[in-house]
Amino acid sequence: AASESPAYLIGRAAHCRILEGRDAYQSQFALGGPINPATGKPYGNGTKKFAEWRASQGKPVLSHEQVDLIENMAAGVAMNDAAVDLLLYGRAEGVVRARYCDVPCQIRIDWTHPQRGIVDLKTCDDLTWFEADARRYRYHNQMAFYQAVLSEAIDQDVPVHVVAVEKKEPFRCGFWRVSDDTLAIARQENEAAIERLK
């Protein structure tokens, strides 16, 4: 989208690269930009040549710097054995529709592991503060909603995991299982909110 923020674009591209693989990433995004034949270096993002190239792509554009950032994030995830194990088998971007609290709902799960359930990938500025940020952004409510809607579709509560990777050096990656108690409390909060919305 034309109004998409750079941070959102990076997050979306990182999800694609890490969860869907290099082929999907390269088909959905234009990577890099034109090279100046005189210098052998890329044209800057603010140049006319780059703007012309961007306009001709017909898909979201990532500069050379953004491509490097996303590759570093993918490498960060690849260095965390628990994250690799979770993302080795399963399906990316699975859409599930079901009635929940008597309301038609749809979720799009970042990754669904056949035995280990829901995996949500988050990008963050600093892994040290991720748990506090997760509480502040109420990720547990999002995860409880995903778990509940999926449960309506498959008649089973599955575990929920979060993988987070930094958007800066050293690109650390962390892995958490969201506790059943946290999910149960968040589900009650969600259901109360849905009732108020109705």
Side-chain angles (χ1 to χ4, degrees):
S3 62
E4 184 173 68
S5 75
Y8 184 80
L9 175 64
I10 292 291
R12 195 163 62 88
H15 273 72
C16 183
R17 169 68 183 85
I18 293 165
L19 299 175
E20 298 180 65
R22 192 179 302 278
D23 289 346
Y25 172 62
Q26 290 176 340
S27 73
Q28 292 178 37
F29 296 89
L31 308 180
I35 303 294
N36 184 334
T39 64
K41 294 185 175 165
Y43 284 102
N45 297 0
T47 64
K48 184 178 176 192
K49 287 277 190 198
F50 188 87
E52 290 170 351
W53 175 78
R54 177 193 300 267
S56 71
Q57 294 308 302
K59 54 187 169 182
V61 167
L62 298 168
S63 69
H64 289 279
E65 294 82 10
Q66 291 170 322
V67 170
D68 288 346
L69 171 61
I70 289 161
E71 287 304 319
N72 281 323
M73 291 166 68
V77 172
M79 292 191 321
N80 183 311
D81 291 342
V84 169
D85 186 46
L86 267 179
L87 300 174
L88 194 57
Y89 301 106
R91 177 177 176 178
E93 304 295 342
V95 174
V96 178
R97 295 179 186 94
R99 287 191 78 77
Y100 171 54
C101 296
D102 206 32
V103 175
C105 296
Q106 175 177 300
I107 57 173
R108 187 178 179 109
I109 303 170
D110 285 349
W111 188 262
T112 311
H113 188 284
Q115 285 83 39
R116 299 182 65 195
I118 295 169
V119 183
D120 199 64
L121 176 66
K122 300 292 187 193
T123 60
C124 65
D125 290 323
D126 190 327
L127 204 63
T128 303
W129 311 114
F130 179 73
E131 289 182 30
D133 288 343
R135 279 190 289 279
R136 188 173 73 222
Y137 297 132
R138 305 193 70 78
Y139 290 157
H140 52 289
N141 291 91
Q142 176 194 2
M143 298 300 96
F145 181 71
Y146 283 12
Q147 184 192 52
V149 172
L150 182 60
S151 180
E152 290 294 329
I154 68 171
D155 199 30
Q156 177 187 353
D157 278 348
V158 300
V160 177
H161 302 85
V162 176
V163 171
V165 62
E166 291 178 325
K167 296 184 277 190
K168 64 180 185 184
E169 283 190 82
F171 303 100
R172 294 177 299 163
C173 177
F175 149 79
W176 294 262
R177 173 161 179 197
V178 184
S179 77
D180 293 338
D181 287 347
T182 297
L183 290 166
I185 292 166
R187 188 180 290 202
Q188 289 176 343
E189 293 170 351
N190 290 350
E191 290 176 0
I194 291 168
E195 286 306 312
R196 288 194 304 274
L197 195 62
K198 283 163 50 178

